[in-house]
Amino acid sequence: MSGTHSTAMAEERLFPSIQTHKSTVTTITGNTKDASGELQLMTTVLGEGPGKVEPLGAFEVPRTKRLLQIGVAVVYCLLAAGIIFGYAALKPILIAEGVYRDRCTPSEATSDIPVCLQQEIALNLMFTIAAVATNVCALLVGTVLDQYGPRVSGIIGSFLFACGCLGFAFAEQLSHTGVDPYIPAYLLLAIGGPFIFIPSFHLANAFPRRSGLVLSMLTGAFDSSSAVFLGYQLFYDHFGGLSLRTAFLGYLVVPALILLSQFTIMPSQSYKTATELSSQAAAEQDILDADPSSNPREREAVISEIDSLLGPTPSPVYNQPLADNSGILGALHHLPLRHQLRTFWFIGIAAFTILQMTRINYFVATISSQYTFLLPSRADSIVALFNAALPLGGIAAIPFIGATLDSFRTLTVLSALVFAATLIGALGLFQNYSAAVAGVLLFTLYRPFYYTVVSDYCVKVFGVATFGKVYGAVICAAGLIGLGQAGLDRATHEVWGGDPRMVNAGLMGAALVVGIGLVGYVARQGKAVRRKKLGQEAMRGTQEEQALWPQNGEWVRREGYGGC
């Protein structure tokens, strides 16, 4: 079980509204009798949206079709979900194709320099806006998904992604009209990704006993999708160039296939969770017990199908007990959202996330210019290593993340997170090739690890009931403030002459200070929470002892004690 909970947390690192996607559910609440005395099943739809899209039991869909749906989702997530994060591989192509070359001065434009200052800043701004939009729009995706279901969300995603491809394909013509097409086009690719990716999460419920495996496959597809632009770069470099127009017109086949799959293979309804299926089976059994003549064959068939689907010990991802003796589990579960957001539990993790997301996106956007300054003779090999390791890092980190979260206390994991962040930042300050390689490899593993730890922290501290809103607030705040990354990029070039070490050192130092403060606070508050829980347990034990009374040679419970 080490990978199930942790894998699910990995999915949520970018998409906080995954919890709210499960709000549109049908719950069987019991039975009653109609006017004629016939027993009727009572159902309640919770969180129903305007689209009235009720979830679907996986047992109602053939196993082969469910497998096909998962396979198709993995493929189109690999091709479209997070391709914008392959920006480091796309950037040299954009430079070679002359994108934003008009921002250069006449002398720069005619010189041999591959990229001028204003061109560099404009290109990086394109990525910054897209990366921010990917995080912020997750809440919008969740709303659409809740109200209209996964099919509508997937259709919207394929349309937005197609518009992004068309924007790049006809960018040259549009630029002649005075319109900047590149930022809107990259933004559409960024927003289309979550609309395609997030609706696929419910497919984990198609096989409840293998939900962790399905989620890990979808996560791996998302993390590996950054390799799409790496493939484009390799083709561009080795086969004489492939223009943006040709490449993106050809890539329109991807959103077209996604759209086709939504109408032919993919479900229009989300699959029910294991908990919902268990409730359905229990309600069906209650009706059979109350009235054995009430469609017994049909109800027994439903119960049998559900039991076969769930197995003897169903393990829905979000209902697993989270073992953690750091004292943080359940720390704020009893508080309403508005009070949770006022505590340092929230402020600390939000501040740390803001700094880390800024660092992560700054590094992805500027890795080429950073190492061109620090190690000009080895910059190309470092960037090539990064482009290859980034998609692989997300996959390689999955078992490591699961083992770490399931084997160590949250306080220990947070401490390791702060240490790793500081180490990566320090490695980026040296003009040394070995340090650069180590920093790049650690970064590709740290990125998914960081997002997973933050989501794990939020669900343990704040609880499932408010997780979506709390984590959404953290990610959205970090994304919006991350727009300031463009200012850091400009300062790097205009104030420090292209030397990234001042920005890197500043972000590293700020993150270290905030991280130490957060770890210290969690340690102190964790002790207080543990003492409180021990006191409550001792009080309950005393009450249990007082509630027992010897009678006829046995210990029996006295009236009025122990909650009886």
Side-chain angles (χ1 to χ4, degrees):
M1 187 55 215
S2 65
T4 307
H5 167 71
S6 304
T7 301
M9 291 296 97
E11 311 317 315
E12 295 164 356
R13 66 183 188 272
L14 290 178
F15 306 110
S17 54
I18 181 175
Q19 288 290 333
T20 61
H21 298 166
K22 299 176 182 176
S23 64
T24 305
V25 299
T26 301
T27 301
I28 298 177
T29 55
N31 56 71
T32 186
K33 293 185 177 181
D34 61 14
S36 64
E38 183 178 351
L39 202 63
Q40 299 291 320
L41 191 67
M42 293 174 60
T43 64
T44 302
V45 177
L46 304 177
E48 180 185 88
K52 301 184 183 297
V53 181
E54 297 185 25
L56 178 70
F59 63 89
E60 301 175 57
V61 180
R63 184 174 186 272
T64 302
K65 186 172 183 179
R66 283 180 278 138
L67 287 171
L68 182 61
Q69 289 170 346
I70 293 170
V72 170
V74 168
V75 170
Y76 67 55
C77 285
L78 176 64
L79 296 176
I83 68 170
I84 68 155
F85 292 103
Y87 168 75
L90 178 65
K91 186 177 179 180
I93 299 175
L94 298 177
I95 293 172
E97 291 289 309
V99 174
Y100 291 132
R101 191 66 176 177
D102 58 328
R103 304 290 178 92
C104 302
T105 64
S107 59
E108 290 173 332
T110 56
S111 67
D112 293 333
I113 60 172
V115 56
C116 68
L117 172 60
Q118 296 303 321
Q119 183 184 15
E120 171 84 13
I121 291 173
L123 288 169
N124 292 344
L125 178 63
M126 180 187 76
F127 170 76
T128 300
I129 292 174
V132 168
T134 299
N135 293 314
V136 174
C137 79
L139 297 177
L140 172 62
V141 178
T143 301
V144 174
L145 184 57
D146 282 345
Q147 295 183 349
Y148 302 108
R151 176 171 292 172
V152 172
S153 301
I155 291 171
I156 293 173
S158 61
F159 175 76
L160 292 172
F161 196 87
C163 289
C165 291
L166 288 171
F168 271 102
F170 295 99
E172 187 175 352
Q173 290 85 340
L174 291 171
S175 61
H176 292 320
T177 65
V179 175
D180 178 0
Y182 298 104
I183 289 179
Y186 212 62
L187 179 63
L188 288 168
L189 293 178
I191 299 175
F195 269 102
I196 292 168
F197 178 50
I198 294 177
S200 67
F201 282 175
H202 77 98
L203 293 173
N205 296 320
F207 295 92
R209 285 188 289 172
R210 298 289 183 267
S211 60
L213 175 62
V214 175
L215 287 172
S216 66
M217 292 169 64
L218 293 169
T219 302
F222 174 83
D223 287 322
S224 299
S225 63
S226 60
V228 168
F229 286 146
L230 174 61
Y232 180 22
Q233 183 191 28
L234 293 175
F235 190 93
Y236 190 93
D237 292 341
H238 291 85
F239 295 97
L242 181 66
S243 70
L244 293 173
R245 178 184 176 88
T246 302
F248 280 96
L249 281 177
Y251 212 69
L252 282 171
V253 69
V254 172
L257 290 176
I258 295 173
L259 183 63
L260 179 64
S261 71
Q262 296 298 329
F263 286 107
T264 57
I265 300 171
M266 306 308 291
S268 60
Q269 304 156 274
S270 295
Y271 283 115
K272 292 179 181 178
T273 65
T275 302
E276 294 158 21
L277 290 171
S278 296
S279 299
Q280 180 177 354
E284 297 279 7
Q285 187 62 56
D286 289 343
I287 291 176
L288 281 176
D289 294 341
D291 184 5
S293 63
S294 177
N295 299 323
R297 289 187 178 180
E298 180 180 340
R299 298 194 190 283
E300 288 174 356
V302 170
I303 294 171
S304 177
E305 291 281 1
I306 292 175
D307 287 343
S308 175
L309 192 66
L310 298 181
T313 54
S315 55
V317 170
Y318 292 101
N319 294 324
Q320 294 299 319
L322 306 177
D324 193 316
N325 60 356
S326 298
I328 78 164
L329 180 59
L332 301 182
H333 288 197
H334 61 289
L335 292 181
L337 177 65
R338 65 180 182 276
H339 291 156
Q340 289 179 341
L341 298 182
R342 296 172 184 171
T343 66
F344 193 78
W345 291 100
F346 172 79
I347 296 171
I349 198 66
F352 190 68
T353 299
I354 288 169
L355 291 168
Q356 289 307 300
M357 283 188 63
T358 301
R359 286 187 63 194
I360 288 170
N361 290 334
Y362 175 75
F363 187 76
V364 172
T366 64
I367 180 172
S368 178
S369 59
Q370 284 199 40
Y371 285 107
T372 297
F373 180 90
L374 295 173
L375 296 167
S377 63
R378 311 297 293 271
D380 290 342
S381 63
I382 294 172
V383 174
L385 173 65
F386 175 78
N387 290 336
L390 186 63
L392 296 176
I395 299 174
I398 288 175
F400 161 74
I401 291 170
T404 301
L405 292 182
D406 291 341
S407 302
F408 297 96
R409 299 188 307 160
T410 300
L411 180 62
T412 304
V413 174
L414 280 176
S415 301
L417 194 71
V418 175
F419 174 77
T422 306
L423 177 60
I424 293 170
L427 290 172
L429 301 179
F430 296 100
Q431 291 179 290
N432 179 275
Y433 182 71
S434 297
V437 170
V440 165
L441 294 178
L442 284 174
F443 175 89
T444 59
L445 294 173
Y446 175 83
R447 179 172 167 259
F449 177 58
Y450 167 74
Y451 285 115
T452 307
V453 171
V454 172
S455 60
D456 183 73
Y457 168 96
C458 288
V459 77
K460 287 179 179 177
V461 172
F462 303 103
V464 172
T466 58
F467 170 80
K469 295 181 179 66
V470 170
Y471 188 67
V474 170
I475 295 297
C476 286
L480 291 172
I481 295 176
L483 286 171
Q485 173 195 323
L488 297 178
D489 190 23
R490 184 174 292 276
T492 299
H493 292 284
E494 296 182 354
V495 178
W496 294 296
D499 188 346
R501 287 175 291 186
M502 292 300 296
V503 171
N504 288 337
L507 291 173
M508 179 191 70
L512 179 60
V513 171
V514 173
I516 291 175
L518 176 62
V519 169
Y521 180 84
V522 170
R524 291 192 303 273
Q525 293 299 313
K527 290 179 181 178
V529 171
R530 288 199 300 275
R531 285 196 298 268
K532 182 178 179 181
K533 289 181 178 179
L534 288 173
Q536 292 172 343
E537 290 174 1
M539 184 176 296
R540 282 197 297 267
T542 302
Q543 290 174 345
E544 288 292 327
E545 291 179 1
Q546 293 174 347
L548 297 177
W549 185 258
Q551 180 175 322
N552 298 327
E554 296 181 354
W555 289 96
V556 297
R557 187 176 297 278
R558 292 195 296 179
E559 291 294 327
Y561 284 88
C564 294

